[in-house]
């Protein structure tokens, strides 16, 4: 699948910036910043946060545009964003951990874990791959609803609810202190808040208070 040219250019620019680090000269971050800002404006993106890392260190970071257009709140390197469909990556990581622990095989039938799964021949592997589940073909068929059925599969690997597993096995383990296992935790009436201690809820609320506002 071909990628947009501007994405490839951005990636190449980042690689070139890092490759020049050993030369002992200042990296041309200003050129990269101008490119990203032009890309943001051209693509109509309200806000971007970007960073370049090398050997575990932050070499460069900056926010562009706004986290909230209505309030003219500038985007910063630490601005949290809604991840949307990227949550699928979280489910895939948790299932990988389950497989490593021997709690499941990704070739298990989905109906072993979700009894009413609509495709009898589907396996955990085919759902992870967004394949149609046909035993004779592996045709790609994106279906976010079908993928969401992997949540109970991942949860079966632990005695804890899915949100807690995400927080413990991914967010906390990787030091992702500016991430929250669900933006709906900001709702005081949400019963999922009972899964977390008061200190965690306060930290989550602090992150959500600065969450970038989605745009159409």
């Amino acid at each position: 699948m071909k990628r947009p040219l501007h994405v490839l250019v951005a990636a190449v620019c980042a690689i070139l910036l890092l490759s020049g680090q050993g030369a002992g000269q200042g990296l041309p971050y200003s050129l990269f910043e101008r490119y990203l800002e032009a890309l943001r404006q051209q693509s109509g993106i309200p806000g971007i946060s970007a960073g370049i890392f090398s050997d575990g260190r932050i070499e460069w970071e900056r926010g562009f545009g706004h986290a909230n257009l209505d309030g003219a709140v500038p985007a910063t390197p630490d601005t949290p964003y809604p991840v949307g469909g990227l949550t699928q990556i979280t489910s895939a990581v948790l299932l990988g951990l389950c497989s490593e622990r021997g709690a499941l095989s990704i070739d298990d039938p989905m109906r072993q874990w979700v009894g009413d799964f609509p495709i009898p021949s589907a396996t955990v592997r085919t759902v992870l791959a967004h394949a149609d589940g046909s035993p004779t073909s592996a045709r790609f068929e994106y279906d976010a609803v079908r993928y969401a059925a992997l949540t109970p599969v991942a949860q079966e690997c632990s005695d804890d609810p899915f949100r807690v597993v995400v927080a413990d096995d991914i967010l906390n383990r990787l030091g992702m202190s500016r991430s929250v296992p669900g933006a709906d935790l900001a709702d005081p009436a949400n019963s999922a808040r009972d899964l977390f201690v008061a200190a965690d809820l306060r930290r989550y609320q602090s992150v959500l208070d600065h969450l970038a506002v989605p745009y159409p």
Side-chain angles (χ1 to χ4, degrees):
M1 181 176 63
K2 293 183 179 180
R3 298 184 181 275
L5 179 60
H6 58 256
V7 174
L8 294 177
V9 173
V12 170
C13 287
I15 293 171
L16 290 176
L17 285 171
L18 289 176
S19 65
Q21 183 176 4
Q25 299 177 353
L27 300 179
Y29 290 126
S30 60
L31 297 177
F32 191 49
E33 290 174 359
R34 287 201 292 271
Y35 171 78
L36 286 181
E37 176 59 15
L39 171 62
R40 183 190 71 79
Q41 295 185 21
Q42 178 184 3
S43 303
I45 300 173
I48 296 176
S49 297
I52 295 178
F53 300 80
S54 177
D55 296 328
R57 299 189 308 273
I58 299 175
E59 298 290 343
W60 168 88
E61 59 180 358
R62 186 181 163 187
F64 300 85
H66 294 87
N68 185 339
L69 289 175
D70 291 338
V73 178
T76 72
D78 295 326
T79 295
Y81 295 87
V83 296
L86 292 178
T87 306
Q88 294 182 18
I89 298 174
T90 300
S91 297
V93 170
L94 290 179
L95 287 168
L97 292 174
C98 290
S99 179
E100 287 183 354
R101 295 166 183 165
L104 64 79
S105 168
I106 61 173
D107 290 313
D108 288 339
M110 279 296 295
R111 286 194 171 181
Q112 176 178 329
W113 303 93
V114 183
D116 60 350
F117 195 77
I119 304 174
S121 61
T123 65
V124 175
R125 183 190 297 273
T126 59
V127 177
L128 276 169
H130 282 293
D132 62 2
S134 170
T136 58
S137 69
R139 183 169 59 88
F140 178 81
E141 186 177 284
Y142 182 84
D143 190 327
V145 174
R146 188 169 63 200
Y147 198 97
L150 291 170
T151 296
V153 179
Q155 187 167 313
E156 285 292 329
C157 298
S158 173
D159 296 329
D160 295 319
F162 183 75
R163 290 175 188 262
V164 175
V165 176
V166 169
D168 290 344
D169 286 356
I170 297 182
L171 305 185
N172 296 344
R173 179 174 294 184
L174 297 178
M176 299 172 65
S177 60
R178 296 281 292 173
S179 299
V180 177
D184 56 348
L185 290 175
D187 182 1
N190 189 348
S191 60
R193 291 171 60 90
D194 296 336
L195 300 172
F196 301 95
V197 300
D200 285 337
L201 291 174
R202 287 193 297 270
R203 177 165 58 86
Y204 294 155
Q205 188 60 57
S206 175
V207 174
L208 293 171
D209 286 344
H210 297 88
L211 187 68
V213 177
Y215 63 100

